Amino acid sequence: MSNNASFLKNKNKFLILGCGFSGSFFANRLRRLGYTAFTSSRSEKKDPFSFVFNSAEGKVPDKKTLDGVTHILSCIPPDQNGCDPVLGILKSKLQSLPLEWVGYLSTTGVYGDTKGKWVSESDEPNPFQKRSHNRLNCEKEWIESGLPVQIFRLPGIYGPGRSTFEAIRNQKIRVIAKKDQVFSRIHVADITNAIIYLLQNKDSLKFYQIINIADDNPCAQIEVIQYCYDLLGLDMPKPCLFEDARKELSPIAQSFWIENRRVSNKLLCEKLGYKLIYKDYKLGLKNCFLNS
Ligand SMILES: NC(=O)c1ccc[n+]([C@@H]2O[C@H](COP(=O)([O-])OP(=O)(O)OC[C@H]3O[C@@H](n4cnc5c(N)ncnc54)[C@H](OP(=O)(O)O)[C@@H]3O)[C@@H](O)[C@H]2O)c1
């Protein structure tokens, strides 16, 4: 199996629900490979391949958009009630389509806090945050839908236009040190490429319904920030201890720091043989630096 997508049949029609950062990267890659990819957003776009899907307003794709769809990728997070916005409104329509594959972008937050230990797909999810309970609920909804679903659990996503460089440029960076704390991350190009790679392996869906997509090198956030300042040729501000910074952080920012885990990619990269483009933040951030 190769990392390119020549296997995909031209008659395949992809629908990407939620065309934000990861969704648009995926759609653009598919189009460059010559496939048809329609993308949703909550507001009208001029792009003829874009359609409106807004679960909160009951706006759903029309028959013409859904006709002939073979593959769907959902990049939409849980709604305010902790339910999946796509299945809440489109489940029976999707069940009536001759779908070959449905991908769902989830998060590694469902694993909860492992106190820095490695965690893999064979570990029981142990969500701590409410949003992670919601996410696990959505994963269950997708699995119970009976659709040919594959779930991708993702750690922090970065890439050109969304990385530590933007935080530095927009002066939104907080340099925080917390002993033994690590974060896992993934470059958006590896999400896209790994999914396209897995689409070539029909067995991956049959035998592996849940797959982590993470790089090889979970590490401290401060290490990543220091690397960006070095590339920019600037001095990094003096770090602040988490305990001191805590009270000034938003509840959501705090919540990221109270979980500590290393996300294993062994299933994807060893068992299934995917070769990461950016195996660590250094390679990935160099790409962001050169493309921003
Ligand atoms: N960002 C991270 O670091 C990270 C880490 C792990 C997992 N994830 C999860 O992975 C997925 C993709 O992440 P991302 O950062 O690429 O996403 P993103 O840029 O935030 O895009 C999310 C998309 O969902 C759409 N959307 C949200 N609510 C909707 C609703 N009720 N009805 C219809 N569309 C709706 C948005 O539409 P509009 O384009 O109209 O706004 C947007 O296109 C998300 O589920 C995210 O929670 C993210």
Side-chain angles (χ1 to χ4, degrees):
M1 222 180 352
S2 70
N3 269 6
N4 77 51
S6 52
F7 81 101
L8 285 171
K9 291 169 279 180
N10 275 321
K11 71 170 180 60
N12 287 338
K13 176 173 169 183
F14 286 78
L15 220 62
I16 290 92
L17 297 170
C19 193
F21 190 61
S22 313
S24 54
F25 205 95
F26 186 68
N28 289 337
R29 176 99 173 89
L30 286 173
R31 288 171 187 154
R32 280 200 300 274
L33 290 165
Y35 300 100
T36 307
F38 286 82
T39 55
S40 87
S41 76
R42 283 175 288 187
S43 51
E44 206 85 47
K45 294 258 152 65
K46 281 196 177 136
D47 175 1
F49 288 94
S50 173
F51 61 93
V52 175
F53 173 60
N54 187 335
S55 72
E57 293 176 7
K59 291 183 179 158
V60 296
D62 58 18
K63 188 176 172 311
K64 194 167 150 253
T65 306
L66 291 175
D67 267 355
V69 171
T70 52
H71 293 69
I72 289 180
L73 180 70
S74 174
C75 314
I76 302 181
D79 66 18
Q80 284 174 339
N81 304 317
C83 299
D84 188 82
V86 175
L87 291 174
I89 196 162
L90 280 179
K91 184 159 79 180
S92 55
K93 270 200 181 135
L94 300 189
Q95 286 168 332
S96 71
L97 297 173
L99 292 171
E100 291 180 25
W101 175 90
V102 178
Y104 174 64
L105 299 190
S106 179
T107 86
T108 54
V110 298
Y111 293 121
D113 182 22
T114 66
K115 308 214 177 322
K117 290 210 179 79
W118 287 97
V119 68
S120 78
E121 299 83 345
S122 57
D123 291 301
E124 257 323 289
N126 186 20
F128 175 69
Q129 317 278 352
K130 184 164 189 303
R131 65 172 181 276
S132 306
H133 281 280
N134 291 345
R135 186 65 76 158
L136 191 60
N137 184 52
C138 291
E139 286 192 0
K140 283 190 185 137
E141 281 187 57
W142 278 105
I143 289 169
E144 286 165 8
S145 71
L147 293 163
V149 168
Q150 198 157 40
I151 290 169
F152 304 104
R153 289 184 177 154
L154 310 171
I157 303 169
Y158 73 100
R162 196 205 268 180
S163 74
T164 306
F165 291 115
E166 278 68 35
I168 294 175
R169 281 191 199 110
N170 301 330
Q171 300 186 337
K172 290 211 167 129
I173 197 83
R174 297 291 309 255
V175 187
I176 295 172
K178 188 171 181 228
K179 193 171 175 292
D180 299 328
Q181 173 83 28
V182 294
F183 293 98
S184 296
R185 51 189 69 73
I186 189 70
H187 190 292
V188 66
D190 270 310
I191 301 175
T192 285
N193 262 30
I195 293 176
I196 290 174
Y197 175 82
L198 291 167
L199 276 168
Q200 298 171 73
N201 179 355
K202 297 274 184 223
D203 284 349
S204 88
L205 174 57
K206 217 182 313 161
F207 299 115
Y208 306 104
Q209 195 171 33
I210 297 179
I211 299 179
N212 296 337
I213 308 181
D215 78 13
D216 285 344
N217 184 216
C219 70
Q221 188 68 354
I222 197 165
E223 199 181 314
V224 173
I225 298 174
Q226 178 70 68
Y227 183 72
C228 289
Y229 273 98
D230 289 349
L231 280 180
L232 291 166
L234 299 171
D235 288 332
M236 185 175 82
K238 204 167 156 284
C240 184
L241 289 178
F242 174 72
E243 289 69 27
D244 298 333
R246 186 176 195 154
K247 51 188 175 304
E248 287 160 31
L249 295 177
S250 66
I252 181 103
Q254 283 189 39
S255 71
F256 284 107
W257 285 88
I258 58 174
E259 291 184 7
N260 191 11
R261 60 181 167 265
R262 288 179 163 79
V263 178
S264 167
N265 63 19
K266 282 191 174 170
L267 172 59
L268 175 69
C269 297
E270 292 184 12
K271 187 131 196 145
L272 295 166
Y274 175 69
K275 199 169 169 321
L276 287 160
I277 311 170
Y278 304 108
K279 65 184 173 59
D280 59 26
Y281 70 85
K282 288 190 180 175
L283 287 173
L285 284 170
K286 226 176 251 170
N287 164 265
C288 300
F289 181 66
L290 296 172
N291 289 286
S292 57

